[in-house]
Amino acid sequence: MFVDGKEMRPIWLDADQRTVKVIDQRLLPHDFIIMDLRTPDETIYAIQEMVVRGAPLIGATAAYGVYLIVVDAPDPAVPEDYLTAESERLKAARPTAVNLAWAVDRMVPKIRAAKTPEAKRAAALAAAEEIVELEADNCRRIGEHGVSLIQEIQDRKQGGPVNLLTHCNAGWLACVEYGTATAPMYVAHEQGIEIHVWVDETRPLNQGARLTAWELGKAGIPHTVVTDNAGGHLMQHGLVDLVITGTDRTTYTGDVANKIGTYLKALAAKDNDIPFYVALPSTTFDWTLADGVHDIPIEERNPDEVRYIQGSDGGTLRNVLVPPEGSPAGNYAFDVTPARLVTGFITERGICRATAADIQRLFPEK
Ligand code: MRU
């Protein structure tokens, strides 16, 4: 995607084939800094501290992380126990987004199968790049399929923009290109369909206000940042035509784990008869879990992310304390929206209802 005329991705491998470059998403939109990752430890740090975040990008970063395990191994033969231990460490960096484990598990057997140090390095690089390109392609297709939902609403409305609402950042920063929830918005905008996006600020880390608003602004897409609690009001007053969010892990039965607060948007959408779609690549399905509410691990993060809020003060990034110094805070990073509240999924293979049978029809091989 383009940032001030320059084509960019949130992650790429430097020409030295030794350094993974990432945009530091903690600092956007006020500072634009590229961070270098050269070791598995630096990769784990970047995922845990949310330098990079968003399910597909966590998967892509993990893929390059496995490559760095090979490149950085003290013994170039990459002994079996070393590869296993380092891969497990990487997989534990964040618990909810299933793309992390998916990427690592896809890469490790390919490295194991290669016999020489050179072959292991080449296999790791090829597998990592395959994952990165797969995610970019998945998101492109999600956009092509999802735009039909926006087009239908525009045809029905006969005038005025199609009003979408999204939560957190499921844009290109969270993926490799296009985003998941934002991909249909980008395609609609390209096709000249008039849209406007309500952007939930998404406390505590404000991925909506900081990242989605930045992305949409750069693309020239009209948008308005609202507080996380505004969605219900907007829906009651006919100001939302369609909700599209991303997801970190979706069960094969259609339960959706996504950024905390997504569930409340789905409830409000149901109450107001507004379609609630979740956009995801198939890499975000967990084909082993049936009960999302009870079985998807929900990350609990440092309470200081809730207690403090970050913003720009005359060009300087500052963190300020919000509640009383002594008040404890809880920081649940995700919640689960049960399938019954989800109108449908927008995937790289098309749109389906949020039922096990419909999902299986699109992905019969799973
Ligand atoms: O904690 P984050 O910022 O990694 O959470 C990200 C989200 O919840 C996104 O909506 C999700 O990963 C989908 S990204 C296309």
Side-chain angles (χ1 to χ4, degrees):
M1 304 298 277
F2 285 90
V3 179
D4 302 334
K6 195 173 167 216
E7 202 166 2
M8 289 218 81
R9 284 179 168 182
I11 191 165
W12 67 97
L13 186 65
D14 193 54
D16 68 3
Q17 304 245 304
R18 185 70 188 74
T19 312
V20 177
K21 302 267 189 186
V22 292
I23 299 174
D24 188 341
Q25 299 193 22
R26 298 171 302 179
L27 309 178
L28 286 174
H30 304 294
D31 290 339
F32 188 88
I33 303 285
I34 306 297
M35 182 185 273
D36 288 353
L37 312 178
R38 294 176 58 85
T39 63
D41 277 346
E42 287 173 2
T43 311
I44 291 169
Y45 172 87
I47 294 172
Q48 280 175 342
E49 295 302 314
M50 295 174 62
V51 173
V52 291
R53 26 71 49 203
L57 183 61
I58 291 172
T61 309
Y64 280 132
V66 177
Y67 172 66
L68 290 179
I69 291 173
V70 174
V71 170
D72 191 58
D75 175 351
V78 198
E80 192 64 24
D81 52 351
Y82 178 80
L83 179 62
T84 306
E86 288 296 276
S87 310
E88 289 305 316
R89 228 161 50 82
L90 184 55
K91 269 163 78 170
R94 283 190 82 186
T96 304
V98 75
N99 300 59
L100 172 53
W102 173 84
V104 174
D105 289 342
R106 182 170 155 128
M107 288 191 61
V108 167
K110 296 183 181 181
I111 297 163
R112 273 202 195 112
K115 295 298 169 226
T116 63
E118 297 70 34
K120 284 187 188 294
R121 189 178 168 134
L125 181 56
E129 287 184 336
E130 196 179 279
I131 287 172
V132 171
E133 295 312 319
L134 174 73
E135 291 300 22
D137 195 52
N138 282 340
C139 288
R140 185 180 58 75
R141 288 170 199 271
I142 286 169
E144 288 168 2
H145 292 297
V147 71
S148 64
L149 298 171
I150 301 175
Q151 180 73 64
E152 275 166 29
I153 293 169
Q154 193 202 38
D155 294 347
R156 224 180 314 124
K157 267 189 104 167
Q158 297 166 340
V162 176
N163 283 302
L164 297 120
L165 182 140
T166 193
H167 192 67
C168 196
N169 172 261
W172 66 267
L173 286 166
C175 304
V176 175
E177 302 261 13
Y178 313 105
T180 55
T182 56
M185 301 175 193
Y186 287 125
V187 176
H189 185 65
E190 270 162 32
Q191 292 184 357
I193 302 173
E194 200 190 341
I195 62 168
H196 164 263
V197 186
W198 298 107
V199 177
D200 286 351
E201 60 179 351
T202 319
R203 279 284 284 149
L205 294 180
N206 288 316
Q207 291 94 324
R210 294 188 304 106
L211 306 177
T212 305
W214 183 77
E215 274 194 30
L216 295 177
K218 293 279 177 213
I221 296 180
H223 62 280
T224 306
V225 177
V226 286
T227 61
D228 290 326
N229 299 323
H233 167 78
L234 296 172
M235 291 181 202
Q236 282 176 326
H237 290 271
L239 296 170
V240 179
D241 297 305
L242 172 65
V243 181
I244 311 181
T245 74
T247 167
D248 281 78
R249 187 186 297 228
T250 291
T251 64
Y252 67 84
T253 57
D255 294 344
V256 172
N258 192 48
K259 181 53 53 191
I260 193 82
T262 303
Y263 173 42
L264 297 181
K265 292 296 133 61
L267 283 170
K270 185 80 168 178
D271 194 44
N272 290 281
D273 217 7
I274 291 164
F276 181 97
Y277 278 86
V278 175
L280 76 164
S282 53
T283 52
T284 308
F285 278 112
D286 185 331
W287 304 103
T288 69
L289 292 187
D291 180 349
V293 174
H294 296 104
D295 293 341
I296 294 180
I298 298 297
E299 179 180 19
E300 289 183 43
R301 295 184 58 83
N302 188 334
D304 279 352
E305 290 179 352
V306 174
R307 297 173 68 237
Y308 289 82
I309 194 161
Q310 174 188 277
S312 171
D313 177 9
T316 305
L317 274 190
R318 290 199 200 290
N319 278 329
V320 294
L321 178 66
V322 179
E325 178 65 54
S327 290
N331 191 2
Y332 303 92
F334 300 94
D335 60 23
V336 175
T337 301
R340 66 175 183 279
L341 299 178
V342 178
T343 311
F345 294 120
I346 311 167
T347 78
E348 74 270 22
R349 290 203 190 158
I351 297 175
C352 70
R353 284 181 308 145
T355 65
D358 260 38
I359 295 167
Q360 211 200 344
R361 251 192 295 280
L362 268 191
F363 299 96
E365 75 279 18
K366 298 292 179 187

